[in-house]
Amino acid sequence: MRERRQFYVVDKKVLPEVFLKVVEAKNLLEKDKTLTVQEVAERMGISRSSFYKYKDAILPFYEKGKGEALTMLIHLQDERGRLSDVLNCIADAGANILTINQMVPMNGIAIINLCLQTFNMKSEIEDLISQLEELEGVQEIKILARE
């Protein structure tokens, strides 16, 4: 039986320095695809083995500075392509989908729960909601949370 992973939110001030260096190394590798792990490890003053040991165990936590998180429920006609239209509208607006959950459709209506990150949006949230409401098949949109 697989052991269930547990996660903790910890202030970075109490983390060992190697963890912070691994996070920075991951950021450098993401920004500059020409760098190797060896080059980044040397630059950060850590060993390659430390990088590989911790790289998959240290995950970023969503930061409020990265834009608002918007959670909404969309009541959508259960017809082919309707969800795709909604997702394309969100992508075109520059929002990033953090989570999506669709309930089993009942009486021809699917209820979609979406959480969006708005950091890179090209327009205001209200404009996106108006665009979504105009899509064929969208019955109702309820905003559950704005964080």
Side-chain angles (χ1 to χ4, degrees), residues 56-67:
D56 294 327
I58 302 172
L59 308 171
F61 185 73
Y62 176 75
E63 298 175 16
K64 282 199 178 265
K66 292 197 173 188

Side-chain angles (χ1 to χ4, degrees), residues 92-114:
D92 290 344
N96 182 41
I97 296 175
L98 298 173
T99 63
I100 181 171
N101 183 24
Q102 178 178 334
M103 312 272 195
V104 175
M106 297 182 77
N107 299 323
I109 301 294
I111 299 175
I112 316 298
N113 182 333
L114 289 170

Side-chain angles (χ1 to χ4, degrees), residues 81-100:
R82 297 292 175 226
L83 179 57
S84 179
D85 293 342
V86 168
L87 299 178
N88 286 329
C89 183
I90 291 167
D92 290 344
N96 182 41
I97 296 175
L98 298 173
T99 63
I100 181 171

Side-chain angles (χ1 to χ4, degrees), residues 28 35 39 54 60 65 90 142:
L28 287 172
L35 291 173
E39 291 169 329
Y54 298 120
I90 291 167
K142 292 181 183 177

Side-chain angles (χ1 to χ4, degrees), residues 73-79 81-87 102 105-112 132 135-141:
L73 278 182
I74 301 175
H75 293 218
L76 189 62
Q77 289 178 347
D78 182 29
E79 297 172 351
R82 297 292 175 226
L83 179 57
S84 179
D85 293 342
V86 168
L87 299 178
Q102 178 178 334
M106 297 182 77
N107 299 323
I109 301 294
I111 299 175
I112 316 298
L132 289 170
L135 291 175
E136 191 172 336
V138 173
Q139 301 293 310
E140 182 180 6
I141 298 177

Side-chain angles (χ1 to χ4, degrees), residues 14-136:
V14 300
L15 290 175
E17 187 177 356
V18 67
F19 290 175
L20 301 175
K21 289 183 176 185
V22 168
V23 169
E24 184 60 28
K26 287 172 60 171
N27 289 337
L28 287 172
L29 288 168
E30 184 65 30
K31 288 178 187 172
D32 187 348
K33 302 289 186 195
T34 64
L35 291 173
T36 66
V37 171
Q38 181 65 37
E39 291 169 329
V40 171
E42 286 175 3
R43 187 180 294 181
M44 297 309 306
I46 59 175
S47 66
R48 283 181 50 228
S49 63
S50 291
F51 176 80
Y52 284 115
K53 179 178 182 179
Y54 298 120
K55 76 175 183 68
D56 294 327
I58 302 172
L59 308 171
F61 185 73
Y62 176 75
E63 298 175 16
K64 282 199 178 265
K66 292 197 173 188
E68 185 174 15
L70 175 69
T71 303
M72 66 174 79
L73 278 182
I74 301 175
H75 293 218
L76 189 62
Q77 289 178 347
D78 182 29
E79 297 172 351
R80 184 182 350 211
R82 297 292 175 226
L83 179 57
S84 179
D85 293 342
V86 168
L87 299 178
N88 286 329
C89 183
I90 291 167
D92 290 344
N96 182 41
I97 296 175
L98 298 173
T99 63
I100 181 171
N101 183 24
Q102 178 178 334
M103 312 272 195
V104 175
M106 297 182 77
N107 299 323
I109 301 294
I111 299 175
I112 316 298
N113 182 333
L114 289 170
C115 183
L116 312 175
Q117 185 181 46
T118 63
F119 179 65
N120 289 320
M121 281 188 54
K122 302 168 191 162
S123 61
E124 297 298 318
I125 292 171
E126 290 72 20
D127 295 333
L128 170 61
I129 293 167
S130 293
Q131 291 169 358
L132 289 170
E133 288 174 330
E134 292 174 13
L135 291 175
E136 191 172 336

